Amino acid sequence: MNKDYWIKWAKAAGIRAVKTFAQAVVAGITVGVAINEVNWKVLFSVAAVAMIASIFTSIAGLPEVEE
């Protein structure tokens, strides 16, 4: 695996992580609005953990990045 592979991998993993973060925030806002309270610190903490989990999942492999 050369430098180009790792650059492509980092870009793809980053995009997936940002999408996961956004999805977690949207889900948290939806639930928070439903119960009339959005705890922003908790919401962003959960979204950050989801983003980190996404990166760890990407270590197993990304189908859009060929070896």
Side-chain angles (χ1 to χ4, degrees):
M1 293 184 219
N2 59 16
K3 184 178 177 182
D4 284 341
Y5 170 82
W6 290 111
I7 291 171
K8 288 178 185 177
W9 182 90
K11 184 176 179 181
I15 290 169
R16 281 181 175 226
V18 169
K19 286 180 180 181
T20 300
F21 182 88
Q23 290 167 346
V25 168
V26 169
I29 290 171
T30 303
V31 171
V33 168
I35 61 171
N36 296 324
E37 182 179 332
V38 176
N39 187 331
W40 294 101
K41 287 182 182 179
V42 172
L43 176 62
F44 285 117
S45 295
V46 169
V49 170
M51 188 168 76
I52 292 167
S54 173
I55 292 172
F56 285 143
T57 302
S58 295
I59 291 171
L62 295 170
E64 61 267 29
V65 180
E66 296 179 11
E67 291 186 32

